[in-house]
Amino acid sequence: MTRRLEGQVALVIGAARGIGEAIAERFVDEGARVVIADTEVDAGRTTAARLKGLFVETDIARADHAGRAVTTAIDGFGGLDILVQNAGIYPWTLIENISPEEWDKVLAVNLKGTFLAARAALPHMKAKRAGRMIFTSSITGPRVTSPGHGHYSASKAGINGFIRAAALEFSGYGITVNGIEPGNILTSGMKLHRSVEFIRSMEQAVPLGRLGTPRDIANCALFLASEDASYITGTTIVVDGGQTLPEGADFRLAPG
């Protein structure tokens, strides 16, 4: 390891498992101390203990929880250098069947949570005139979509707009704001809730021939958190194995 984050403190929201856990693990590998914030208490505590970090129960849709998560990092480790807001929910419901309550819940966690996390971290980063904010968006919404994801798509497209606005507003304080747009990522949750046939069909839609791994996303987050990305702000990086490139389903060239 190159220890690119030596001595830095990272708050990773939505890190009990899956992509967030991989991001926190990658940061620790590179020298950071991490605070794991999540609604899943048992899994979150287990992840934090394994990474020698701190855990704070956090519903990022609540302003007081966002503030408490930031305070945990500052009180526990003496500061906050990197914010990652990865928490998100993605129920499958056709637009005609989405209740106003379900719509509000999805946007509260995914989009409002992004705003609340940024707002909570801003005063500390602003005071020291440095910081990295990284938000997990998606290819779903900004670039593609599918039936049943109307609210999810809207929330993720909104995150991309917020990233640009925040990057502009925070630039004078040395804070960069960027995002990651994952494609289909093979998490433990996908393995548990999706059939082998479904996963195989998804793999066939990816030019590189496989689904992404949580570590693929974590590597991108590490880059955006590091000094290597010090001149990058207000953008998102697509990590999808080329999934959004083809014009149609028949895109593979046979060797020879």
Side-chain angles (χ1 to χ4, degrees):
M1 301 301 172
T2 57
R3 311 293 289 184
R4 278 176 279 182
L5 304 181
E6 189 69 49
Q8 297 193 48
V9 177
L11 168 61
V12 187
I13 303 165
R17 61 179 79 244
I19 290 173
E21 180 184 13
I23 291 171
E25 183 177 58
R26 194 74 180 90
F27 285 3
V28 169
D29 287 345
E30 294 289 338
R33 292 170 292 174
V34 297
V35 174
I36 306 298
D38 208 295
T39 56
E40 296 188 54
V41 175
D42 290 341
R45 285 176 175 163
T46 298
T47 298
R50 180 173 64 83
L51 299 178
K52 296 181 173 58
L54 301 174
F55 172 75
V56 55
E57 183 178 0
T58 304
D59 175 359
I60 197 54
R62 293 180 51 178
D64 59 333
H65 280 218
R68 185 173 68 188
V70 169
T71 298
T72 299
I74 294 170
D75 291 350
F77 289 134
L80 178 61
D81 303 289
I82 304 161
L83 167 70
V84 178
Q85 169 18 26
N86 173 72
I89 58 174
Y90 42 92
W92 191 95
T93 312
L94 295 174
I95 290 172
E96 62 185 299
N97 298 322
I98 296 174
S99 67
E101 293 76 18
E102 183 175 303
W103 178 275
D104 287 347
K105 183 177 181 180
V106 171
L107 267 72
V109 175
N110 297 0
L111 185 54
K112 182 182 176 184
T114 295
F115 153 68
L116 291 177
R119 191 183 70 162
L122 179 60
H124 179 76
M125 292 183 175
K126 183 178 176 180
K128 68 174 191 170
R129 305 188 73 80
R132 297 278 192 269
M133 294 187 183
I134 302 165
F135 301 108
T136 301
S137 181
S138 176
I139 62 170
T140 304
R143 299 176 192 275
V144 298
T145 193
S146 62
H149 284 147
H151 39 18
Y152 180 79
S153 295
S155 71
K156 293 299 184 176
I159 287 172
N160 283 24
F162 178 81
I163 285 169
R164 289 189 286 272
L168 188 61
E169 290 189 20
F170 304 167
S171 60
Y173 307 114
I175 302 167
T176 64
V177 185
N178 293 294
I180 303 170
E181 296 182 34
N184 287 300
I185 306 302
L186 189 59
T187 62
S188 58
M190 180 182 285
K191 293 176 184 177
L192 182 64
H193 297 295
R194 298 292 191 177
S195 68
V196 172
E197 292 74 19
F198 177 84
I199 292 173
R200 186 175 298 117
S201 71
M202 293 172 68
E203 290 173 338
Q204 292 171 351
V206 178
L208 289 184
R210 68 170 178 88
L211 298 187
T213 67
R215 184 147 179 119
D216 289 323
I217 308 304
N219 286 334
C220 184
L222 172 62
F223 166 68
L224 290 173
S226 73
E227 280 301 306
D228 293 338
S230 63
Y231 200 58
I232 298 173
T233 196
T235 193
T236 59
I237 298 177
V238 175
V239 185
D240 72 344
Q243 181 179 341
T244 54
L245 294 176
E247 291 186 1
D250 187 14
F251 59 84
R252 296 191 185 279
L253 294 175

